[in-house]
Amino acid sequence: MKIQFNIHYKTQWGQSLYLLIYPISGNSENLSTESFIMRCNEKSEWSAKITISAVDSISYQYAILNQDKSSQFEYGGIRRVEFPVVKESVVVYDNWRASYGDSPFVTAAFSDCFFKRSPLEAITQNQKGDVVLRVNCPQMESDRHFAIVGNQKILGNWDVAHKVRLDESKYPVWSIALDATKITFPLEYKYLIVDTKTDEVLAWGGGPNRLLQAADKSALTVVTDEHFIRTIPSWKGAGVAIPVFSLRSESGFGIGEFDDLKKMVDWAKRTGQRIIQTLPINDTILYHTNYDSYPYNAVSVYALHPIYLHLESLGQLKTKKQKDYFKAKKQELNAQTFSDYQNVMNAKWEFFKLIYPQESPALFASDDYKAFFEANKEWLVPYAAFSYLRDMNGTPEFGKWPDFGIYNQADIEALSFPELAHYNDIAIFYFLQYHLHKQLMAVHDYARANGVAIKGDIPIGVSPRSVDAWVEPDLFNANGQAGAPPDDFSATGQNWGFPTYNWELMAKNGYQWWKKRFQKLSEYFDAYRIDHILGFFRIWEIPVDAVWGLTGSFCPALPFTRSELESRGIWMDESRFLKPYLKEHVLYATFGKYTDDVIREYLLTDGWQNYKFKPEYDTQKKIEKHFASLGYNFGNKEVLIRDGLYMLHCEVLFVRDSREPDKFHPRISMHSSATFRDLPENTRRLLDKLYVDYFYHRHTEFWKQQALKKLPALISATNMLVCGEDLGMVPDSVPDVMNELEIISLEIQRMPKKPNTEFAMPSEAPYRSVCTTSTHDMNPIRAWWEEDPVLTQRFYNRALGMQGPAPATCESWIAERIIEQHLQSQAMLIILPWQDWMALDSTLCLEHPFAERINVPSNPRNFWCYRMHMTLEQLLKEKEFNSKITQMIKESGR
């Protein structure tokens, strides 16, 4: 069999194209992977001929060979073409495959949920011809299909009444096979979008007619068209965001469970919503206290949190006394207005310890469990051992364990040997993770069956006291803490306490740690949100002895050398620029009437009207520990003094680079410091110029390349829809990278990305975005409305276009107007917090708006306990309310 490949592509100087042929599975004479340099004519038409044994299909790909011998593959991965008839000669006409914005539509969220297609009988009358026309187009709603018309009788002579439906069995490639003897060339044709139910033509493909000039009637001709130009609006959907722990059901146990997501799927389907966004659901158990409620502080990037288990699905306890006890506990906890994390977890652990010995023998003997264990043992065994050792030693800080503090695989496998007396204390975690897996898989299957996608959340960090940091410590930098620079959420920055990543080491094996993490998540979700995607460009790294984020610096970064600073007129005076600026007038401005007390207890004299910290208070962490020791003797005075001392540690102009100590980073927000204000005007001017260059220009291309090293490998590891949380201090290169990789952005009306803009307009949101009213890190719209009346008034007049004074509260008609603005936007997805959907009805929403907030980013000890104020069963019964949402979504074209 001879195959000639043809493709039109305009290369740049020094480039050429080559064809890569891949092995053919299931064929007796498998073709080895082989590349062929293509030839080009004056019309930029490239061709290559190969000879192989007769096959019924072939897999291949085109790539650019650059002058430096590097390769650039076309978008979309490996192509596959089936040959409907066997001929000695095959001619393939292709177009260079670029994404054209289509990459979201090939993800599982679309192929398995939004655009999931019903199985159709093969269109056999269109499959045996020797001219095959194919179009690659993933964006096609499930109730629509492609048809074709053209200038031939077999294609209806341009009469849509005689259009021919394309075969969709190889979706997203649509095809038809024509008899070459019935075609008078040249063949002109157009693809049509057709409503499957009514057979109405909804749109003709844009652009000029497609053209096939001629075809050898003795050969098989295969034409694959790309870039269908859609002349009707692109698909848009709506959804809801709510943490699993916030769900409330009549069958719950005081906190949301995986099983409750099925009822949320029912509500989403009933109201026309297509996606449910959650917060992270990984195990966060460190201390068995409410501290563990923080969902972003994962103890394992693979293990799911046992708190989300539905107890009845694990088995039924044997005695009436036990059953009555847990029935009473369930009623007590389910009556709470908040998610009572610690008490729920304690009660569930009581149940786990009773149900495990009863049910585990039969479960562990089952083939299904054995398959689960085999597929997951790489992470499951270390996780279970870690959990056992954490509880046995009373701390997750493995560095303090007398044994096994340094992970050794052989030692942990020996520790986990089934014949040992403590085995069941380890194996109970296998038992729980199996059930968590089964329950969440059931939710995933249920959601897909109902056309609803579940969107997960991948935190940027892991706990420094996690299984991951224990097992693979070299992947993490323990001498730094990840966080965020000052922003709208926190004027002093955010310190998340996570270790930063050793990206150089991770790159050596192609970021396998990240890929496996993403792949595990894809078992349960069809879409995911990358928390703080800016961290893949650079992370804000804070010294381990700091509490606030002000003395952090970006990593990786390009700090200044001494000579570079001097060339800009700045001489590095370490005493003035690097040491805290503790002048007497600064102390009085900070502490007022408490200044003398502060000097006496925390400071030492260091020259005329100048001070330094006593050694026992010379870091923020030491100060934090001191004030934590005060216990109940902690009032407003102590808060003022503690925070003032924290701020004094930030009274510096530069921070030293942690890896190259003779290089320096300008301190973020230095302009607000006393040490900056007290400088001569000329020095301030020089520092200001340096500051602007460092934070807004110097790293633009550098950070872009950092992201392009990591993100493509990570997002290609699964077929989930990728959304990036691109908020905060966003480098200029972020939009370019997200556009290039077609990652969906996050747009929030209260956090505009456009400079000198107070409120973003949803109407200006890009198509490839998630547009929302609020996030879990801010007040929902009703509480936000009451935060700052002056700001609200400007929003009322400018963003909503209303005249006169703004109402004191966010009345339901205001919420409706805000939500309508979002629904009418061009954003692909509108995902609103459940609290904001509820704001549409003043009789149904929670009485106290401020009780709806989930997280306060400036508070690292925030208790994550928000819970729906009505049950999902009640929500499903609210016909008038649900009909209103359905109508709003439908009228918006979503």
Side-chain angles (χ1 to χ4, degrees):
M1 175 183 280
K2 296 179 180 179
I3 307 177
Q4 177 172 319
F5 294 87
N6 305 277
I7 186 168
H8 180 271
Y9 185 78
K10 291 186 177 181
T11 56
Q12 297 178 2
W13 189 87
Q15 292 180 331
S16 60
L17 288 193
Y18 68 95
L19 171 73
L20 200 62
I21 303 294
Y22 288 88
I24 302 170
S25 59
N27 188 279
S28 59
E29 295 182 28
N30 281 353
L31 189 68
S32 299
T33 303
E34 192 172 355
S35 60
F36 300 86
I37 296 295
M38 304 187 76
R39 296 179 180 274
C40 183
N41 63 21
E42 67 279 0
K43 297 180 181 179
S44 296
E45 295 169 343
W46 297 79
S47 63
K49 295 180 180 179
I50 66 171
T51 301
I52 61 173
S53 301
V55 293
D56 59 7
S57 67
I58 192 164
S59 298
Y60 63 100
Q61 191 174 23
Y62 298 105
I64 300 170
L65 181 64
N66 296 311
Q67 190 177 18
D68 63 1
K69 304 303 181 183
S70 63
S71 295
Q72 178 183 338
F73 290 88
E74 64 173 345
Y75 167 80
I78 300 172
R79 297 172 180 249
R80 183 178 174 87
V81 172
E82 287 79 20
F83 304 140
V85 293
V86 178
K87 293 208 173 187
E88 285 297 315
S89 180
V90 179
V91 181
V92 175
Y93 293 100
D94 284 323
N95 293 275
W96 183 262
R97 185 167 287 176
S99 62
Y100 301 113
D102 278 346
S103 62
F105 304 114
V106 299
T107 63
F110 284 88
S111 62
D112 297 329
C113 296
F114 309 149
F115 292 174
K116 188 173 184 179
R117 312 193 70 77
S118 300
L120 293 175
E121 295 182 9
I123 308 174
T124 54
Q125 69 270 27
N126 294 328
Q127 299 307 305
K128 294 300 180 184
D130 46 16
V131 173
V132 179
L133 303 178
R134 300 161 19 112
V135 60
N136 176 48
C137 182
Q139 187 182 180
M140 183 62 72
E141 292 82 343
S142 58
D143 57 353
R144 299 173 181 177
H145 64 264
F146 269 123
I148 187 172
V149 292
N151 66 343
Q152 310 286 321
K153 183 178 179 181
I154 58 172
L155 293 183
N157 282 321
W158 297 114
D159 183 354
V160 295
H162 297 98
K163 61 189 178 295
V164 184
R165 181 171 180 171
L166 299 189
D167 174 36
E168 62 184 72
S169 60
K170 304 300 180 185
Y171 170 85
V173 175
W174 308 71
S175 65
I176 185 170
L178 305 174
D179 184 347
T181 63
K182 296 180 180 180
I183 301 174
T184 303
F185 291 95
L187 169 64
E188 292 186 56
Y189 57 97
K190 280 269 194 180
Y191 297 112
L192 313 173
I193 297 177
V194 180
D195 185 294
T196 300
K197 186 176 181 180
T198 66
D199 201 39
E200 175 189 358
V201 174
L202 301 176
W204 290 62
N209 295 341
R210 298 182 187 262
L211 179 67
L212 179 61
Q213 287 284 4
D216 182 350
K217 296 186 179 182
S218 66
L220 171 65
T221 301
V222 180
V223 179
T224 302
D225 293 311
E226 303 287 339
H227 190 30
F228 175 78
I229 301 175
R230 186 173 169 123
T231 56
I232 54 177
S234 291
W235 179 91
K236 297 188 298 182
V240 61
I242 189 165
V244 176
F245 62 76
S246 298
L247 299 174
R248 177 194 287 268
S249 72
E250 293 171 4
S251 60
F253 204 93
I255 203 166
E257 299 171 347
F258 288 151
D259 202 54
D260 295 328
L261 280 168
K262 293 180 181 178
K263 297 183 183 69
M264 184 53 78
V265 168
D266 293 340
W267 183 68
K269 185 177 182 181
R270 185 165 299 183
T271 53
Q273 299 182 71
R274 304 303 303 274
I275 189 166
I276 299 170
Q277 179 174 314
T278 66
L279 292 186
I281 39 79
N282 292 105
D283 188 356
T284 57
I285 298 172
L286 293 171
Y287 301 104
H288 298 283
T289 68
N290 283 332
Y291 175 85
D292 300 343
S293 69
Y294 181 21
Y296 288 88
N297 198 29
V299 75
S300 166
V301 297
Y302 301 106
L304 302 173
H305 204 307
I307 204 166
Y308 298 128
L309 279 168
H310 184 60
L311 300 185
E312 286 83 347
S313 299
L314 274 64
Q316 296 295 319
L317 295 172
K318 299 298 184 184
T319 71
K320 183 177 184 302
K321 182 179 179 182
Q322 289 173 336
K323 291 178 180 177
D324 289 346
Y325 172 79
F326 285 103
K327 182 179 179 181
K329 272 287 181 186
K330 179 177 180 176
Q331 291 174 344
E332 173 194 337
L333 292 167
N334 223 20
Q336 296 277 34
T337 58
F338 64 99
S339 295
D340 192 353
Y341 177 91
Q342 185 173 338
N343 288 322
V344 170
M345 196 70 261
N346 290 342
K348 286 197 172 187
W349 266 108
E350 289 183 72
F351 184 90
F352 297 155
K353 290 175 180 177
L354 292 171
I355 204 69
Y356 170 76
Q358 177 184 303
E359 302 292 332
S360 60
L363 176 69
F364 288 169
S366 69
D367 291 339
D368 193 54
Y369 168 78
K370 291 176 182 177
F372 165 79
F373 184 84
E374 190 63 29
N376 295 277
K377 64 182 179 182
E378 181 183 0
W379 65 266
L380 184 59
V381 172
Y383 160 75
F386 176 93
S387 300
Y388 162 70
L389 291 167
R390 172 200 63 209
D391 294 346
M392 183 183 73
N393 291 296
T395 178
E397 296 181 56
F398 46 84
K400 295 181 179 179
W401 295 347
D403 300 301
F404 306 105
I406 297 175
Y407 177 80
N408 178 279
Q409 183 176 347
D411 290 346
I412 295 306
E413 288 176 354
L415 177 72
S416 307
F417 190 62
E419 303 303 321
L420 295 177
H422 61 254
Y423 176 71
N424 285 322
D425 294 330
I426 293 176
I428 190 172
F429 295 98
Y430 305 158
F431 177 84
L432 297 176
Q433 288 302 313
Y434 169 81
H435 281 290
L436 285 159
H437 170 75
K438 298 298 287 186
Q439 291 187 19
L440 190 50
M441 282 291 292
V443 170
H444 188 210
D445 293 343
Y446 184 81
R448 278 188 169 183
N450 284 278
V452 175
I454 308 291
K455 180 182 175 186
D457 193 337
I458 294 188
I460 186 63
V462 298
S463 171
R465 296 169 287 278
S466 65
V467 185
D468 305 275
W470 178 54
V471 173
E472 299 184 271
D474 291 345
L475 297 182
F476 306 95
N477 296 317
N479 61 345
Q481 306 173 91
D487 57 19
D488 291 345
F489 293 128
S490 175
T492 59
Q494 298 177 51
N495 184 349
W496 303 324
F498 307 140
T500 56
Y501 294 113
N502 185 343
W503 287 109
E504 293 80 7
L505 184 60
M506 287 180 163
K508 290 182 178 179
N509 68 354
Y511 306 103
Q512 283 300 311
W513 184 84
W514 282 97
K515 289 180 178 179
K516 289 187 286 187
R517 181 183 182 185
F518 281 35
Q519 287 160 358
K520 184 61 181 175
L521 195 77
S522 70
E523 295 179 19
Y524 312 119
F525 299 101
D526 294 310
Y528 65 98
R529 167 188 177 270
I530 300 179
D531 170 48
H532 195 65
I533 198 172
L534 306 186
F536 293 89
F537 293 75
R538 80 294 182 273
I539 196 70
W540 188 247
E541 190 173 63
I542 303 162
V544 289
D545 58 9
V547 175
W548 284 0
L550 283 172
T551 53
S553 59
F554 287 120
C555 179
L558 302 171
F560 293 108
T561 63
R562 291 179 185 271
S563 60
E564 206 174 355
L565 292 172
E566 289 170 6
S567 70
R568 297 173 181 236
I570 301 168
W571 274 257
M572 176 50 67
D573 179 348
E574 294 195 11
S575 177
R576 181 66 180 85
F577 287 175
L578 296 177
K579 288 177 61 178
Y581 185 69
L582 306 187
K583 291 292 184 182
E584 191 170 81
H585 70 276
V586 175
L587 302 182
Y588 276 99
T590 303
F591 301 107
K593 64 182 179 180
Y594 304 122
T595 301
D596 292 339
D597 294 340
V598 168
I599 292 172
R600 185 167 50 253
E601 185 165 356
Y602 302 102
L603 305 176
L604 296 172
T605 302
D606 188 30
W608 174 249
Q609 294 186 341
N610 195 52
Y611 298 88
K612 64 181 180 180
F613 284 101
K614 290 181 178 178
E616 57 267 38
Y617 304 114
D618 61 3
T619 71
Q620 289 183 343
K621 281 290 178 72
K622 289 180 180 179
I623 293 167
E624 180 185 48
K625 184 177 180 180
H626 165 71
F627 280 91
S629 70
L630 298 181
Y632 292 109
N633 299 315
F634 198 81
N636 292 334
K637 173 185 175 182
E638 287 72 25
V639 170
L640 186 149
I641 292 174
R642 181 201 63 188
D643 290 354
L645 292 171
Y646 285 166
M647 183 56 76
L648 291 182
H649 272 290
C650 301
E651 279 287 342
V652 295
L653 295 167
F654 288 87
V655 294
R656 195 185 297 275
D657 187 76
S658 61
R659 293 164 182 80
E660 298 179 273
D662 212 36
K663 292 185 178 181
F664 310 94
H665 306 261
R667 202 215 84 181
I668 191 81
S669 303
M670 67 162 66
H671 301 82
S672 62
S673 67
T675 183
F676 180 84
R677 291 193 297 270
D678 284 358
L679 290 169
E681 183 180 350
N682 183 57
T683 306
R684 292 201 306 270
R685 212 167 27 243
L686 291 171
L687 284 178
D688 184 62
K689 188 176 180 180
L690 184 87
Y691 184 95
V692 171
D693 175 48
Y694 178 86
F695 284 106
Y696 299 103
H697 303 295
R698 183 178 177 88
H699 296 93
T700 301
E701 185 60 27
F702 176 71
W703 285 335
K704 179 178 181 178
Q705 295 309 315
Q706 296 299 314
L708 289 174
K709 288 178 187 176
K710 305 162 193 168
L711 286 171
L714 274 49
I715 64 179
S716 64
T718 76
N719 69 337
M720 291 186 289
L721 178 66
V722 188
C723 307
E725 184 259 290
D726 53 338
L727 304 177
M729 191 175 181
V730 182
D732 288 345
S733 55
V734 171
D736 291 343
V737 171
M738 292 186 69
N739 284 329
E740 182 175 336
L741 301 180
E742 298 191 347
I743 297 172
I744 294 176
S745 66
L746 178 60
E747 309 296 326
I748 304 176
Q749 192 166 27
R750 287 179 252 160
M751 294 188 68
K753 296 175 181 176
K754 188 184 295 184
N756 305 314
T757 303
E758 190 168 29
F759 307 110
M761 294 305 294
S763 59
E764 297 176 0
Y767 174 67
R768 204 162 48 246
S769 69
V770 171
C771 194
T772 186
T773 49
S774 317
T775 75
H776 62 275
D777 281 332
M778 57 179 64
N779 267 320
I781 52 177
R782 290 195 306 136
W784 173 78
W785 193 268
E786 299 178 30
E787 272 182 19
D788 182 348
V790 176
L791 180 67
T792 300
Q793 183 65 55
R794 291 199 299 272
F795 179 85
Y796 183 74
N797 297 141
R798 298 174 187 176
L800 296 184
M802 303 299 294
Q803 301 298 315
T809 62
C810 183
E811 298 167 8
S812 57
W813 68 269
I814 295 174
E816 182 172 348
R817 192 175 183 92
I818 293 171
I819 291 172
E820 279 182 342
Q821 276 189 340
H822 287 71
L823 290 173
Q824 295 295 333
S825 81
Q826 292 305 307
M828 176 188 288
L829 289 167
I830 299 300
I831 303 178
L832 307 184
W834 182 77
Q835 304 95 302
D836 287 352
W837 280 119
M838 296 308 297
L840 289 170
D841 192 324
S842 59
T843 65
L844 292 179
C845 60
L846 185 63
E847 181 181 357
H848 304 292
F850 287 93
E852 293 182 324
R853 184 160 187 167
I854 295 172
N855 180 42
V856 180
S858 59
N859 178 14
R861 298 284 178 172
N862 182 72
F863 179 25
W864 298 64
C865 62
Y866 169 72
R867 194 176 186 210
M868 294 170 62
H869 62 283
M870 64 166 58
T871 66
L872 287 157
E873 291 85 353
Q874 289 173 310
L875 180 64
L876 285 164
K877 292 176 183 176
E878 295 295 338
K879 293 183 179 180
E880 185 177 342
F881 173 69
N882 293 334
S883 295
K884 182 181 184 66
I885 294 177
T886 306
Q887 188 66 24
M888 289 177 69
I889 292 173
K890 185 177 181 180
E891 289 178 354
S892 72
R894 298 186 178 274

